[in-house]
Structure formats: C-alpha cells, structure tokens
C-alpha cells in the first residue's frame, strides 16, 4: 500500500486497512483530550483540577498543555475521544494565540461524535472561554457545559466549580458513548 503520505506498507497490508476502517468510524470513547495554555498558571490550575475530576469520574484524560504539545499530536489524540475540552486565558479580549492556532487546525479536520467544553481565567474582560466555545460550536460539537470562566487565581470555590465542570463533562461523555 502506497499512501499519499506516511510509510509504505509492504508487510501485512490488512493491518493498516483494518486501522483505517476503525479510524473512519469516528467512534467516541471514554476519553477526553484537554488542551490548554496559561499566562500566569491560573488556567493551568483549572485544567489540572478538571482533568482530575474527569479521571475520578471514569474518563481517560489526555491533558495537553500547548507549551508542550504540537497541534498534530492533539489531532492524533482526538481519535477515539469522546470530548475536546479547551482552556484559554483572555489576552487583549481574545483567546490565547496558541489555543487559536490549535483550534484552527482541528477545525479543518472536521471532528465528529464528541462533546466539547471551554474554560479559562481572566483578569478584566473574560472573553476567551466564550470565544473558544463559539469555535467549538462552529465545529458542530455538542457543548457539554456552559463555558467556565474564573476571575484571577482560582480559590477553593473556583476549584470546586472546576471539579463540578469536569464531572459534568464526564457524564456527557458517558451518555455519548452509550448512544453508539
């Protein structure tokens, strides 16, 4: 098998055909891909608590800080995921540039069969989480929850909101997977 891109399959071509058949199903699993970036670590704090809550509620979580993860790696992780969860701080009334870049890339891949959620911290205006959710909505991904916006550094009450947010997303993933 000689694809447009990638390796040439000389041995056991049936293996890659089976893989492609599985990939094209776009079947959701009990997995959440959680991408985020942070300016002053507040959005990062939120991400870690949300990831813990997802895990505690039976969802495999792939937390991917965009300072470490390339958008292509994020796209690969989305295969078999039941949710795309995106966190961004607000900067200049916008989402963080690395988050915008990654969402633009993902949008072009036309993800399907997953729920989505947006969250972020802010100091003054707090538009990022709403803008992220608008991008996720434009991809026709069902929103698992209203965007979670936390002002300044998350305190105990805000971190509890993050736990609840993660638990809500986990329940939506389970419902989605059970529909399939």
């Amino acid at each position: 098998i000689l694809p447009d891109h990638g390796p040439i399959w000389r041995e056991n071509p049936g293996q890659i055909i089976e893989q492609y058949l599985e990939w094209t199903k776009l079947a959701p699993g009990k997995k959440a891909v959680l991408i985020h970036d942070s300016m002053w670590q507040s959005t990062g704090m939120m991400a870690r608590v949300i990831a813990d809550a997802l895990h505690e509620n039976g969802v495999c979580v792939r937390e991917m800080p965009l300072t470490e993860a390339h958008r292509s790696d994020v796209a690969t992780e989305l295969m078999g995921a039941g949710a795309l969860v995106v966190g961004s701080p607000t900067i200049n009334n916008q989402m963080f540039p690395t988050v915008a870049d990654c969402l633009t890339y993902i949008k072009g891949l036309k993800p399907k069969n997953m729920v989505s959620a947006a969250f972020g911290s802010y100091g003054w205006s707090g538009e990022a989480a709403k803008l992220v959710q608008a991008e996720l909505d434009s991809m026709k991904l069902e929103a698992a929850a209203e965007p979670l916006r936390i002002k300044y550094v998350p305190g105990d009450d805000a971190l509890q909101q993050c736990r609840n947010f993660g638990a809500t997303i986990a329940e939506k993933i389970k419902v989605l997977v059970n529909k399939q």
Side-chain angles (χ1 to χ4, degrees):
I1 296 177
L2 302 162
D4 266 1
H5 59 283
I8 296 171
W9 290 84
R10 292 186 171 99
E11 297 176 20
N12 195 6
Q15 177 186 5
I16 193 63
I17 291 171
E18 288 174 21
Q19 285 294 125
Y20 272 102
L21 288 172
E22 194 60 35
W23 294 332
T24 60
K25 290 179 186 175
L26 300 174
K30 282 189 199 174
K31 173 184 173 183
V33 176
L34 192 159
I35 64 170
H36 62 90
D37 209 337
S38 197
M39 286 191 312
W40 305 109
Q41 301 315 308
S42 295
T43 303
M45 287 173 60
M46 294 173 70
R48 286 183 288 285
V49 172
I50 293 166
D52 288 346
L54 285 161
H55 178 73
E56 290 164 7
N57 284 277
V59 173
C60 175
V61 182
R62 181 69 165 99
E63 184 184 349
M64 304 183 81
L66 293 175
T67 54
E68 302 168 15
H70 189 271
R71 62 182 177 246
S72 295
D73 296 325
V74 172
T76 300
E77 285 295 331
L78 285 173
M79 296 174 70
L84 172 58
V85 183
V86 182
S88 175
T90 298
I91 181 171
N92 298 329
N93 303 319
Q94 299 294 318
M95 69 180 88
F96 211 61
T98 54
V99 175
D101 171 75
C102 193
L103 286 175
T104 298
Y105 186 75
I106 291 168
K107 187 175 184 176
L109 298 173
K110 298 180 171 68
K112 295 193 182 338
N113 298 329
M114 65 179 70
V115 297
S116 66
F119 67 94
S121 62
Y122 65 99
W124 291 276
S125 58
E127 287 92 350
K130 293 177 186 178
L131 293 170
V132 167
Q133 190 61 57
E135 280 300 302
L136 295 168
D137 291 346
S138 77
M139 294 181 215
K140 299 186 177 19
L141 300 178
E142 178 189 345
E146 290 295 314
L148 178 61
R149 301 165 58 231
I150 302 295
K151 191 168 186 176
Y152 302 127
V153 177
D156 290 341
D157 289 343
L159 294 175
Q160 185 58 51
Q161 289 178 49
C162 293
R163 282 184 203 87
N164 296 343
F165 186 73
T168 298
I169 298 165
E171 289 309 310
K172 297 287 184 170
I173 293 169
K174 291 174 187 174
V175 168
L176 179 67
V177 169
N178 289 334
K179 282 184 189 178
Q180 299 296 316

